[in-house]
Coordinates of all heavy atoms in Angstrom, one line a residue:
M46 N 7.8 -22.9 -44.8 CA 8.1 -23.8 -45.9 C 8.5 -25.1 -45.5 O 9.0 -25.2 -44.4 CB 9.2 -23.3 -46.7 CG 10.7 -23.7 -46.3 SD 11.9 -22.5 -46.7 CE 12.1 -21.8 -45.1
A47 N 8.0 -26.0 -46.1 CA 8.3 -27.5 -45.7 C 8.5 -28.2 -47.1 O 8.0 -27.7 -48.1 CB 7.3 -28.1 -45.0
R48 N 9.2 -29.3 -47.1 CA 9.3 -30.0 -48.4 C 9.3 -31.5 -48.0 O 9.9 -32.0 -47.1 CB 10.6 -29.5 -48.9 CG 11.4 -30.1 -49.8 CD 12.7 -29.1 -50.1 NE 12.6 -27.7 -49.8 CZ 13.3 -27.3 -48.6 NH1 14.1 -28.0 -48.0 NH2 13.2 -26.0 -48.3
E49 N 8.6 -32.3 -48.9 CA 8.7 -33.8 -48.9 C 9.7 -34.2 -49.8 O 9.7 -33.7 -51.1 CB 7.3 -34.3 -49.1 CG 6.4 -34.1 -48.1 CD 5.1 -35.0 -48.3 OE1 5.1 -35.8 -49.3 OE2 4.1 -34.8 -47.6
V50 N 10.6 -35.0 -49.4 CA 11.7 -35.7 -50.2 C 11.7 -37.1 -50.1 O 11.4 -37.6 -49.0 CB 12.9 -35.0 -49.9 CG1 14.2 -35.6 -50.6 CG2 13.1 -33.5 -50.0
T51 N 11.8 -37.8 -51.3 CA 11.9 -39.2 -51.3 C 13.3 -39.6 -51.2 O 14.1 -39.3 -52.0 CB 11.2 -39.7 -52.5 OG1 9.9 -39.3 -52.6 CG2 11.1 -41.4 -52.6
H52 N 13.6 -40.4 -50.1 CA 15.0 -41.0 -50.0 C 14.9 -42.5 -50.2 O 13.9 -43.2 -49.8 CB 15.4 -40.8 -48.5 CG 15.7 -39.3 -48.3 ND1 16.8 -38.8 -48.7 CD2 15.0 -38.5 -47.7 CE1 16.9 -37.5 -48.2 NE2 15.6 -37.2 -47.6
E53 N 16.0 -43.1 -50.9 CA 16.0 -44.4 -51.1 C 17.2 -45.2 -50.4 O 17.1 -46.4 -50.3 CB 16.2 -44.6 -52.6 CG 14.9 -44.1 -53.5 CD 15.2 -44.3 -55.0 OE1 16.3 -44.6 -55.4 OE2 14.2 -44.1 -55.6
E54 N 18.0 -44.4 -49.8 CA 19.1 -45.0 -49.1 C 18.6 -45.6 -47.8 O 17.7 -45.1 -47.2 CB 20.2 -43.9 -48.8 CG 20.9 -43.4 -50.0 CD 21.6 -44.4 -50.9 OE1 22.0 -45.4 -50.5 OE2 21.6 -44.2 -52.1
R55 N 19.3 -46.7 -47.3 CA 18.8 -47.4 -46.1 C 19.9 -47.3 -45.1 O 19.9 -48.1 -44.0 CB 18.5 -48.8 -46.5 CG 17.3 -48.9 -47.3 CD 17.0 -50.2 -47.7 NE 15.8 -50.3 -48.6 CZ 15.0 -51.2 -48.7 NH1 15.2 -52.4 -48.1 NH2 13.9 -51.2 -49.4
G56 N 20.9 -46.6 -45.2 CA 21.9 -46.5 -44.2 C 22.9 -45.2 -44.3 O 22.5 -44.4 -45.2
P57 N 23.7 -45.0 -43.4 CA 24.5 -43.8 -43.4 C 25.6 -43.8 -44.4 O 26.0 -44.8 -45.0 CB 25.1 -43.8 -42.0 CG 25.3 -45.3 -41.7 CD 24.1 -46.0 -42.3
A58 N 26.1 -42.6 -44.7 CA 27.2 -42.4 -45.5 C 28.4 -42.0 -44.7 O 28.3 -41.1 -43.8 CB 27.0 -41.2 -46.5
R59 N 29.5 -42.7 -44.8 CA 30.7 -42.4 -44.1 C 31.5 -41.4 -44.7 O 31.9 -41.5 -45.9 CB 31.4 -43.6 -43.8 CG 32.7 -43.4 -42.9 CD 33.4 -44.6 -42.7 NE 34.6 -44.3 -41.9 CZ 35.5 -45.2 -41.5 NH1 35.2 -46.6 -41.7 NH2 36.5 -45.0 -40.8
L60 N 31.9 -40.3 -44.1 CA 32.6 -39.2 -44.7 C 34.0 -39.3 -44.0 O 34.2 -39.4 -42.8 CB 31.9 -37.8 -44.5 CG 30.6 -37.7 -44.9 CD1 29.9 -36.4 -44.6 CD2 30.4 -38.1 -46.4
D61 N 35.0 -38.8 -44.8 CA 36.5 -38.6 -44.3 C 37.1 -37.4 -45.0 O 36.3 -36.8 -45.9 CB 37.3 -39.9 -44.4 CG 37.4 -40.3 -45.8 OD1 37.4 -39.6 -46.8 OD2 37.6 -41.6 -46.0
E62 N 38.4 -37.3 -44.7 CA 39.0 -36.1 -45.3 C 39.0 -36.1 -46.9 O 39.1 -35.0 -47.5 CB 40.4 -35.9 -44.8 CG 41.3 -37.0 -44.9 CD 41.3 -38.2 -44.0 OE1 40.4 -38.0 -43.0 OE2 41.9 -39.2 -44.1
S63 N 38.9 -37.2 -47.5 CA 38.9 -37.3 -49.0 C 37.6 -36.6 -49.6 O 37.6 -36.3 -50.7 CB 38.9 -38.7 -49.5 OG 37.9 -39.5 -49.2
D64 N 36.6 -36.4 -48.7 CA 35.4 -35.7 -49.2 C 35.5 -34.2 -49.1 O 34.5 -33.6 -49.5 CB 34.2 -36.3 -48.3 CG 34.0 -37.7 -48.4 OD1 33.9 -38.2 -49.7 OD2 33.9 -38.5 -47.6
M65 N 36.5 -33.7 -48.6 CA 36.6 -32.3 -48.5 C 36.8 -31.6 -49.7 O 37.5 -32.2 -50.7 CB 37.8 -31.9 -47.5 CG 37.4 -32.3 -46.0 SD 38.9 -31.8 -45.0 CE 38.3 -32.4 -43.5
G66 N 36.3 -30.4 -49.9 CA 36.4 -29.7 -51.1 C 37.8 -28.9 -51.2 O 38.6 -29.0 -50.1
D67 N 37.9 -28.1 -52.1 CA 39.1 -27.2 -52.2 C 39.3 -26.3 -51.0 O 40.4 -25.8 -50.7 CB 39.0 -26.4 -53.5 CG 39.2 -27.2 -54.7 OD1 39.6 -28.4 -54.6 OD2 38.7 -26.8 -55.8
D68 N 38.2 -25.9 -50.2 CA 38.3 -25.1 -49.1 C 38.4 -25.9 -47.8 O 38.1 -25.4 -46.7 CB 37.1 -24.1 -49.0 CG 35.8 -24.9 -48.9 OD1 35.7 -26.1 -49.0 OD2 34.8 -24.1 -48.8
D69 N 38.6 -27.2 -47.8 CA 38.8 -28.2 -46.7 C 37.6 -28.1 -45.9 O 37.6 -28.4 -44.7 CB 40.0 -27.6 -45.7 CG 41.3 -27.9 -46.5 OD1 41.4 -28.8 -47.4 OD2 42.3 -27.3 -46.2
M70 N 36.4 -28.0 -46.6 CA 35.3 -28.1 -45.9 C 34.3 -29.2 -46.4 O 34.6 -29.5 -47.6 CB 34.4 -26.7 -45.9 CG 35.1 -25.6 -45.2 SD 35.4 -25.8 -43.5 CE 33.7 -25.4 -43.0
I71 N 33.4 -29.7 -45.8 CA 32.5 -30.6 -46.4 C 31.0 -30.1 -46.1 O 30.7 -29.6 -45.0 CB 32.4 -32.0 -45.5 CG1 33.8 -32.7 -45.7 CG2 31.3 -32.9 -46.0 CD1 33.9 -33.9 -44.9
Y72 N 30.3 -29.8 -47.2 CA 29.0 -29.3 -47.2 C 27.9 -30.4 -47.4 O 27.9 -31.1 -48.4 CB 28.8 -28.3 -48.2 CG 29.8 -27.1 -48.0 CD1 31.1 -27.1 -48.7 CD2 29.4 -26.0 -47.4 CE1 32.0 -26.0 -48.3 CE2 30.2 -25.0 -47.1 CZ 31.5 -25.0 -47.6 OH 32.3 -23.9 -47.4
V73 N 27.1 -30.6 -46.3 CA 26.1 -31.6 -46.2 C 24.8 -31.0 -46.6 O 24.4 -30.1 -46.1 CB 26.1 -32.4 -44.9 CG1 25.0 -33.5 -44.8 CG2 27.4 -33.1 -44.6
C74 N 24.1 -31.7 -47.5 CA 22.8 -31.2 -48.0 C 21.8 -31.4 -46.9 O 21.7 -32.4 -46.2 CB 22.3 -32.1 -49.1 SG 20.6 -31.7 -49.7
Q75 N 21.1 -30.3 -46.6 CA 20.0 -30.3 -45.6 C 18.8 -30.1 -46.3 O 17.8 -30.1 -45.5 CB 20.3 -29.2 -44.5 CG 21.5 -29.5 -43.6 CD 21.6 -28.6 -42.5 OE1 21.4 -29.0 -41.3 NE2 22.0 -27.3 -42.7
C76 N 18.7 -29.7 -47.5 CA 17.4 -29.4 -48.1 C 16.7 -30.7 -48.7 O 15.5 -30.7 -48.9 CB 17.7 -28.3 -49.3 SG 18.3 -29.0 -50.8
G77 N 17.5 -31.7 -48.9 CA 17.1 -32.9 -49.4 C 17.0 -33.0 -50.9 O 16.5 -34.1 -51.5
L78 N 17.5 -32.1 -51.7 CA 17.3 -32.0 -53.1 C 18.6 -32.3 -53.9 O 18.6 -32.5 -55.0 CB 16.8 -30.6 -53.5 CG 15.5 -30.2 -53.0 CD1 15.1 -28.8 -53.4 CD2 14.3 -31.2 -53.4
S79 N 19.6 -32.4 -53.1 CA 21.0 -32.7 -53.8 C 20.9 -33.9 -54.7 O 20.3 -35.0 -54.3 CB 22.1 -32.7 -52.8 OG 23.3 -33.1 -53.5
G80 N 21.5 -33.9 -55.8 CA 21.6 -35.1 -56.7 C 22.8 -35.9 -56.4 O 23.0 -36.9 -56.9
S81 N 23.7 -35.4 -55.4 CA 24.8 -36.1 -55.0 C 25.0 -36.2 -53.5 O 25.9 -35.9 -52.9 CB 26.1 -35.4 -55.6 OG 26.2 -34.1 -55.1
K82 N 23.9 -36.6 -52.9 CA 23.8 -36.8 -51.5 C 24.9 -37.7 -50.9 O 25.3 -38.6 -51.7 CB 22.5 -37.4 -51.0 CG 21.3 -36.4 -51.2 CD 20.0 -37.0 -50.7 CE 18.8 -36.3 -51.1 NZ 18.5 -36.3 -52.5
P83 N 25.5 -37.4 -49.7 CA 25.1 -36.4 -48.8 C 25.6 -35.1 -48.9 O 25.4 -34.2 -48.2 CB 25.6 -37.0 -47.5 CG 26.9 -37.7 -48.0 CD 26.6 -38.2 -49.4
F84 N 26.2 -34.8 -50.2 CA 26.8 -33.5 -50.4 C 25.8 -32.5 -51.0 O 25.0 -32.9 -51.8 CB 28.1 -33.8 -51.2 CG 29.0 -34.7 -50.7 CD1 29.1 -35.8 -51.3 CD2 29.8 -34.4 -49.6 CE1 30.0 -36.8 -50.9 CE2 30.6 -35.4 -49.0 CZ 30.8 -36.6 -49.7
C85 N 26.1 -31.2 -50.7 CA 25.3 -30.2 -51.2 C 25.9 -30.0 -52.7 O 27.0 -30.0 -52.9 CB 25.6 -28.9 -50.5 SG 25.0 -27.4 -51.3
D86 N 24.9 -29.9 -53.7 CA 25.3 -29.6 -55.1 C 24.7 -28.4 -55.5 O 24.7 -28.0 -56.7 CB 25.0 -30.8 -55.9 CG 23.5 -31.0 -56.1 OD1 22.7 -30.2 -55.4 OD2 23.0 -31.9 -56.9
G87 N 24.2 -27.5 -54.7 CA 23.7 -26.2 -55.0 C 22.1 -26.3 -55.4 O 21.5 -25.3 -55.7
S88 N 21.6 -27.5 -55.4 CA 20.1 -27.6 -55.7 C 19.3 -26.8 -54.8 O 18.1 -26.5 -55.1 CB 19.7 -29.1 -55.7 OG 20.4 -29.8 -56.7
H89 N 19.7 -26.5 -53.5 CA 18.9 -25.7 -52.6 C 18.5 -24.4 -53.2 O 17.6 -23.8 -52.6 CB 19.7 -25.6 -51.3 CG 21.0 -24.9 -51.5 ND1 22.2 -25.5 -51.6 CD2 21.4 -23.5 -51.5 CE1 23.2 -24.8 -51.8 NE2 22.7 -23.5 -51.8
N90 N 19.2 -24.0 -54.2 CA 18.8 -22.6 -54.8 C 17.4 -22.7 -55.3 O 16.8 -21.6 -55.3 CB 19.8 -22.2 -55.9 CG 21.2 -22.0 -55.3 OD1 21.3 -21.1 -54.4 ND2 22.3 -22.5 -56.0
A91 N 16.9 -23.8 -55.6 CA 15.4 -23.8 -56.0 C 14.5 -23.5 -54.9 O 13.3 -23.4 -55.2 CB 15.2 -25.3 -56.6
T92 N 15.0 -23.5 -53.7 CA 14.0 -23.3 -52.6 C 13.9 -21.8 -52.1 O 13.1 -21.6 -51.2 CB 14.5 -24.1 -51.4 OG1 15.5 -23.7 -50.8 CG2 14.6 -25.7 -51.8
T93 N 14.6 -21.0 -52.7 CA 14.8 -19.6 -52.1 C 13.4 -18.9 -52.1 O 13.2 -18.0 -51.5 CB 15.7 -18.8 -52.9 OG1 15.5 -18.8 -54.3 CG2 17.1 -19.4 -52.7
D94 N 12.5 -19.4 -53.1 CA 11.3 -18.6 -53.2 C 10.0 -19.4 -52.6 O 8.9 -19.0 -52.8 CB 10.9 -18.2 -54.7 CG 10.8 -19.4 -55.5 OD1 11.1 -20.5 -55.1 OD2 10.2 -19.2 -56.6
E95 N 10.4 -20.5 -51.8 CA 9.3 -21.1 -51.1 C 8.6 -20.3 -50.1 O 9.2 -19.6 -49.4 CB 9.9 -22.5 -50.4 CG 10.4 -23.5 -51.4 CD 10.9 -24.7 -50.7 OE1 11.0 -24.6 -49.5 OE2 11.1 -25.7 -51.3
A96 N 7.3 -20.3 -50.1 CA 6.5 -19.6 -49.0 C 6.6 -20.4 -47.8 O 6.7 -21.6 -47.7 CB 5.0 -19.5 -49.6
D97 N 6.4 -19.6 -46.7 CA 6.6 -20.2 -45.3 C 5.5 -21.2 -45.0 O 5.7 -22.2 -44.3 CB 6.6 -19.2 -44.3 CG 7.9 -18.3 -44.3 OD1 8.9 -18.9 -44.9 OD2 8.0 -17.3 -43.7
D98 N 4.3 -21.0 -45.5 CA 3.1 -21.7 -45.1 C 2.8 -22.8 -46.1 O 1.5 -23.2 -46.0 CB 1.9 -20.9 -44.8 CG 1.5 -20.1 -45.9 OD1 2.3 -20.0 -46.9 OD2 0.4 -19.5 -45.8
V99 N 3.6 -23.2 -47.0 CA 3.2 -24.2 -48.1 C 4.2 -25.4 -48.0 O 5.4 -25.2 -47.7 CB 3.4 -23.5 -49.4 CG1 3.1 -24.5 -50.6 CG2 2.4 -22.3 -49.5
R100 N 3.7 -26.5 -48.2 CA 4.5 -27.7 -48.3 C 4.7 -28.1 -49.8 O 3.8 -28.0 -50.5 CB 3.9 -28.9 -47.7 CG 4.7 -30.1 -47.6 CD 4.0 -31.3 -46.9 NE 3.3 -30.8 -45.7 CZ 2.8 -31.6 -44.9 NH1 2.9 -33.0 -45.0 NH2 2.2 -31.2 -43.8
Y101 N 5.9 -28.4 -50.1 CA 6.2 -28.5 -51.6 C 6.8 -30.0 -51.8 O 7.3 -30.7 -50.9 CB 7.4 -27.7 -51.9 CG 7.1 -26.2 -52.0 CD1 7.3 -25.5 -50.8 CD2 6.5 -25.6 -53.1 CE1 7.0 -24.2 -50.9 CE2 6.1 -24.2 -53.0 CZ 6.4 -23.5 -52.0 OH 6.0 -22.3 -51.9
K102 N 6.5 -30.6 -52.9 CA 7.1 -31.9 -53.3 C 7.8 -31.7 -54.7 O 7.3 -31.1 -55.6 CB 5.9 -32.9 -53.6 CG 6.4 -34.2 -54.1 CD 7.1 -35.0 -53.1 CE 7.5 -36.3 -53.6 NZ 8.4 -37.1 -52.7
Y103 N 9.1 -32.0 -54.7 CA 9.9 -31.8 -55.9 C 10.0 -33.2 -56.5 O 10.2 -34.3 -55.9 CB 11.4 -31.4 -55.5 CG 11.4 -30.0 -55.0 CD1 11.1 -29.6 -53.8 CD2 11.9 -29.0 -56.0 CE1 11.2 -28.3 -53.3 CE2 12.0 -27.7 -55.6 CZ 11.5 -27.2 -54.3 OH 11.6 -26.0 -53.9
D104 N 9.7 -33.3 -57.8 CA 9.7 -34.5 -58.6 C 11.0 -34.7 -59.3 O 11.5 -33.8 -59.9 CB 8.6 -34.4 -59.6 CG 7.2 -34.3 -59.0 OD1 7.0 -35.0 -57.9 OD2 6.3 -33.6 -59.5
G105 N 11.5 -35.9 -59.3 CA 12.7 -36.3 -59.9 C 14.0 -35.8 -59.3 O 13.9 -35.2 -58.1
D106 N 15.0 -36.0 -59.9 CA 16.3 -35.6 -59.4 C 16.7 -34.2 -59.7 O 17.6 -33.5 -59.0 CB 17.5 -36.4 -59.9 CG 17.3 -37.9 -59.4 OD1 16.8 -38.1 -58.3 OD2 17.8 -38.8 -60.1
D107 N 15.9 -33.6 -60.6 CA 16.3 -32.2 -61.0 C 15.1 -31.3 -60.4 O 14.1 -31.3 -61.0 CB 16.3 -32.0 -62.5 CG 16.6 -30.6 -63.0 OD1 16.8 -29.9 -62.1 OD2 16.5 -30.5 -64.2
P108 N 15.4 -30.5 -59.4 CA 14.4 -29.8 -58.8 C 14.0 -28.5 -59.6 O 13.1 -27.7 -59.2 CB 15.0 -29.4 -57.4 CG 16.5 -29.4 -57.7 CD 16.7 -30.5 -58.7
D109 N 14.8 -28.2 -60.6 CA 14.6 -26.9 -61.3 C 13.0 -26.9 -62.0 O 12.8 -27.5 -62.9 CB 15.5 -26.8 -62.4 CG 16.8 -26.5 -61.8 OD1 16.9 -26.1 -60.7 OD2 17.9 -26.8 -62.6
G110 N 12.1 -26.2 -61.4 CA 10.9 -26.0 -61.9 C 9.9 -27.2 -61.8 O 8.9 -27.2 -62.3
K111 N 10.3 -28.3 -61.2 CA 9.5 -29.4 -61.1 C 9.0 -29.6 -59.8 O 9.3 -30.6 -59.1 CB 10.3 -30.7 -61.5 CG 10.7 -30.7 -63.0 CD 11.5 -31.9 -63.4 CE 11.9 -31.9 -64.8 NZ 12.7 -33.0 -65.1
R112 N 8.4 -28.7 -59.2 CA 7.8 -28.8 -57.9 C 6.3 -28.4 -57.9 O 5.8 -27.8 -58.8 CB 8.4 -27.9 -56.8 CG 8.1 -26.5 -57.1 CD 8.8 -25.6 -56.0 NE 8.4 -24.3 -56.2 CZ 9.1 -23.3 -55.7 NH1 10.2 -23.4 -55.0 NH2 8.7 -22.0 -56.0
R113 N 5.6 -28.9 -56.9 CA 4.3 -28.6 -56.8 C 3.9 -28.4 -55.3 O 4.5 -28.9 -54.4 CB 3.3 -29.7 -57.4 CG 3.6 -31.1 -56.7 CD 3.0 -32.2 -57.6 NE 3.6 -33.4 -57.4 CZ 3.2 -34.5 -56.6 NH1 2.1 -34.2 -55.9 NH2 3.8 -35.5 -56.5
E114 N 2.8 -27.6 -55.1 CA 2.4 -27.4 -53.7 C 1.5 -28.6 -53.4 O 0.6 -28.9 -54.2 CB 1.7 -26.0 -53.7 CG 2.6 -24.9 -54.0 CD 1.8 -23.5 -53.9 OE1 0.7 -23.5 -53.3 OE2 2.3 -22.6 -54.3
I115 N 1.7 -29.2 -52.3 CA 0.7 -30.4 -51.9 C -0.1 -30.0 -50.9 O -1.0 -30.7 -50.6 CB 1.7 -31.7 -51.6 CG1 2.7 -31.4 -50.5 CG2 2.4 -32.1 -52.9 CD1 3.4 -32.6 -50.1
A116 N 0.2 -29.1 -49.9 CA -0.8 -28.7 -49.0 C -0.3 -27.4 -48.2 O 0.9 -27.3 -48.1 CB -0.8 -29.8 -47.9
A117 N -1.2 -26.8 -47.7 CA -0.9 -25.7 -46.8 C -0.7 -26.2 -45.5 O -1.3 -27.1 -45.0 CB -2.0 -24.7 -46.9
I118 N 0.1 -25.6 -44.7 CA 0.4 -26.0 -43.3 C -0.3 -25.1 -42.4 O -0.1 -23.9 -42.5 CB 1.9 -26.0 -43.0 CG1 2.7 -27.0 -43.9 CG2 2.1 -26.4 -41.5 CD1 4.2 -26.8 -43.9
E119 N -1.1 -25.6 -41.6 CA -1.9 -24.8 -40.6 C -1.2 -24.9 -39.2 O -0.9 -26.0 -38.7 CB -3.3 -25.2 -40.5 CG -4.1 -25.0 -41.8 CD -5.6 -25.3 -41.7 OE1 -6.0 -25.3 -40.5 OE2 -6.2 -25.7 -42.7
Y120 N -0.9 -23.8 -38.7 CA -0.2 -23.8 -37.2 C -1.3 -23.4 -36.4 O -2.2 -22.6 -36.5 CB 0.9 -22.7 -37.4 CG 2.0 -23.0 -38.3 CD1 2.0 -22.4 -39.5 CD2 3.0 -23.9 -38.0 CE1 3.0 -22.7 -40.5 CE2 4.1 -24.2 -38.9 CZ 4.1 -23.6 -40.1 OH 5.1 -23.9 -40.9
E121 N -1.2 -24.1 -35.2 CA -2.1 -23.8 -34.1 C -1.5 -22.5 -33.3 O -0.4 -22.4 -33.2 CB -2.1 -25.0 -33.1 CG -2.7 -26.1 -33.6 CD -2.8 -27.3 -32.6 OE1 -2.8 -27.0 -31.5 OE2 -2.9 -28.4 -33.0
S122 N -2.5 -21.7 -32.9 CA -2.1 -20.5 -32.2 C -1.9 -20.9 -30.7 O -2.7 -21.7 -30.2 CB -3.1 -19.3 -32.4 OG -4.3 -19.8 -32.0
G123 N -1.0 -20.3 -30.0 CA -0.7 -20.6 -28.7 C -1.7 -20.2 -27.7 O -2.2 -20.5 -26.7
Ligands
FES440 S1 21.5 -27.9 -49.1 FE1 20.7 -29.4 -50.4 S2 21.7 -29.0 -52.2 FE2 22.6 -27.6 -50.9

């Protein structure tokens, strides 16, 4: 699986202890779909059924059901 995500920010986000949740942890989005970047908002749940060999593009800020397959990924054999 792979995913193309459109980012509009042009710099880093600075995090500090005020960004910690109730469990004193900071969860940073790695899937690219969060609507509250850089924090995880649970949007990654939309990726659980992605196939390994397909690239996806999610449209808009709400990834629920708004994705399309844009290309198959071909891997070279060693
Ligand atoms: S890892 Fe991206 S929303 Fe959770």
Side-chain angles (χ1 to χ4, degrees):
M46 92 208 102
R48 154 177 351 104
E49 285 191 10
V50 177
T51 302
H52 291 277
E53 296 178 350
E54 299 299 331
R55 295 181 179 198
R59 181 178 176 176
L60 306 179
D61 62 28
E62 60 272 359
S63 70
D64 297 309
M65 291 182 181
D67 293 339
D68 60 357
D69 291 337
M70 300 294 286
I71 297 173
Y72 295 90
V73 176
C74 175
Q75 294 190 106
C76 75
L78 300 178
S79 175
S81 59
K82 292 182 189 74
F84 305 106
C85 170
D86 69 357
S88 294
H89 58 264
N90 290 315
T92 69
T93 57
D94 63 344
E95 290 180 347
D97 288 343
D98 60 347
V99 175
R100 183 182 317 194
Y101 296 92
K102 176 70 177 176
Y103 286 80
D104 297 322
D106 292 333
D107 179 9
D109 293 337
K111 295 180 181 176
R112 73 176 181 202
R113 55 193 157 96
E114 297 178 13
I115 56 174
I118 301 171
E119 294 186 23
Y120 298 98
E121 294 181 22
S122 59

